[in-house]
């Protein structure tokens, strides 16, 4: 299980994405006449200085790269991974999957491996209108290395490990100690009702006869999942929820969970009145 600190980290990351998205939105929504005035006022000077400016930029960037010992085109390893949850219920097996993209780069000057992920949480309808979510997070980037440790010769956060995972085939059970954080909303229409779910005791959240059968992972050519979470949780597109003062009024657990449902911030421009 992931500690409660994970939700706080997810909220901080999500807030940064919210801020960047809002800034982009504000820039895109500038009145046209302001943009045209800016273009007209700077056209002559821009044309006269374009060559010297670009020469200075290129030289500056080249100097930074040389001084930092960085590779501007680092070797990259990437793959799509499908996480599937299977749950036993009194009505039978409930199943849900989602595909995320993971990318790792060669070590930088500091000896770190830059990495990223994109996608959305895995969701499964356990019972009518009752859903279980497997959240995204730092574990998303490592789960393949850990799940396929046997196939790649041991867990290895290194170029050898990245390259080996990208070539793996087949489906494997995710080790229980590396399960993603599981949550549910007792009321799917209310983001305040988020609740952590114990993978060893789904009955506590969903009732008698509900158990987690397994969580599997597969390296796949399938496209990254998009749109499921937003379609299910309509309030993700509601500025009254996703922007202040509504956002700051949510419980911290709700904000943390919401921040780990998606790797990106929802586009709210079409939802603002």
């Amino acid at each position: 299980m992931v500690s409660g600190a994970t939700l706080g980290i997810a909220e901080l990351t999500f807030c940064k994405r919210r801020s960047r998205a809002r800034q982009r939105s504000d820039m895109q929504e500038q009145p046209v006449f302001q943009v045209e005035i800016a273009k007209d006022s700077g056209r002559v000077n821009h044309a006269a200085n374009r060559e010297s400016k670009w020469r200075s930029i290129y030289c500056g960037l080249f100097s930074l790269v040389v001084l930092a010992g960085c590779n501007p085109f680092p070797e990259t390893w990437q793959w799509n991974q499908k996480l599937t949850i299977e749950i036993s219920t009194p009505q039978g097996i409930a199943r849900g999957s989602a595909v995320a993209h993971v990318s790792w780069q060669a070590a930088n000057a500091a000896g770190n491996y830059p990495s990223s992920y994109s996608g959305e949480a895995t969701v499964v309808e356990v019972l009518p209108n009752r859903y279980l979510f497997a959240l995204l997070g730092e574990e998303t980037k490592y789960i393949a290395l850990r799940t396929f440790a046997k196939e790649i010769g041991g867990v290895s956060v290194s170029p050898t490990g990245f390259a080996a995972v990208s070539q793996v085939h087949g489906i494997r059970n995710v080790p229980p100690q590396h399960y993603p954080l599981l949550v549910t909303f007792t009321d799917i229409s209310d983001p305040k009702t988020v609740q952590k779910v114990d993978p060893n005791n789904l009955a506590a959240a969903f009732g008698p006869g509900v158990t987690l059968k397994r969580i599997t992972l597969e390296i796949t050519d399938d496209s990254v999942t998009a749109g499921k979470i937003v379609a299910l949780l309509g309030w993700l597109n509601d500025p009254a929820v996703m922007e202040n003062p509504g956002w700051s009024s949510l419980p911290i657990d709700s904000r943390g969970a919401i921040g780990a449902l998606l790797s990106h911030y929802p586009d709210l421009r079409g939802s603002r009145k």
Side-chain angles (χ1 to χ4, degrees):
M1 288 294 292
V2 180
S3 68
T6 301
L7 291 179
I9 294 172
E11 182 196 350
L12 177 60
T13 303
F14 197 62
C15 286
K16 291 179 180 177
R17 292 199 297 269
R18 288 182 347 112
S19 177
R20 290 196 294 268
R22 186 61 184 271
Q23 290 172 2
R24 289 196 297 271
S25 174
D26 291 341
M27 291 173 63
Q28 291 168 352
E29 293 175 358
Q30 288 181 355
V32 174
F33 72 87
Q34 291 183 1
V35 176
E36 293 302 325
I37 290 173
K39 287 182 179 178
D40 290 338
S41 64
R43 185 174 288 119
V44 175
N45 289 336
H46 180 71
N49 298 322
R50 182 183 301 167
E51 183 177 352
S52 61
K53 285 182 178 179
W54 279 111
R55 186 184 297 114
S56 298
I57 291 172
Y58 288 140
C59 290
L61 289 175
F62 180 77
S63 299
L64 287 174
V65 169
V66 172
L67 291 174
C70 296
N71 180 359
F73 306 104
E75 187 171 3
T76 301
W77 300 268
Q78 53 190 332
W79 58 83
N80 286 2
Q81 58 190 35
K82 179 186 287 185
L83 186 81
T84 300
I85 304 174
E86 295 182 0
I87 299 174
S88 297
T89 78
Q91 290 75 37
I93 299 297
R95 183 180 292 106
S97 299
V99 177
H101 180 77
V102 174
S103 175
W104 288 87
Q105 292 183 355
N108 56 25
N112 300 318
Y113 294 100
S115 58
S116 64
Y117 62 87
S118 61
E120 59 184 47
T122 303
V123 58
V124 53
E125 187 171 15
V126 179
L127 298 170
N129 210 36
R130 290 300 313 280
Y131 298 86
L132 178 72
F133 299 83
L135 302 180
L136 299 173
E138 283 298 299
E139 177 67 18
T140 303
K141 299 184 295 186
Y142 296 92
I143 194 169
L145 294 168
R146 292 162 175 164
T147 299
F148 295 100
K150 182 178 180 181
E151 285 77 8
I152 67 176
V155 177
S156 178
V157 181
S158 69
T160 300
F162 308 148
V165 167
S166 66
Q167 301 300 316
V168 164
H169 298 284
I171 300 173
R172 297 292 181 272
N173 291 336
V174 176
Q177 66 269 30
H178 299 307
Y179 281 170
L181 181 62
L182 305 178
V183 303
T184 188
F185 293 90
T186 56
D187 180 354
I188 202 69
S189 65
D190 185 355
K192 296 185 181 71
T193 64
V194 68
Q195 177 184 20
K196 292 182 182 180
V197 175
D198 182 352
N200 296 313
N201 187 16
L202 264 64
F206 297 100
V210 177
T211 60
L212 178 61
K213 184 177 180 182
R214 63 174 182 167
I215 298 178
T216 65
L217 196 73
E218 175 187 9
I219 305 303
T220 179
D221 293 327
D222 293 352
S223 299
V224 174
T225 302
K228 282 187 177 180
I229 297 296
V230 172
L232 178 62
L233 304 174
W235 41 261
L236 283 171
N237 278 331
D238 185 356
V241 173
M242 301 301 294
E243 297 181 339
N244 287 327
W247 175 259
S248 60
S249 70
L250 292 174
I252 190 169
D253 280 353
S254 293
R255 286 179 281 168
I258 293 169
L261 287 170
L262 303 170
S263 63
H264 59 280
Y265 182 67
D267 186 352
L268 302 180
R269 285 174 294 167
S271 302
R272 295 193 185 99
K273 296 181 179 180

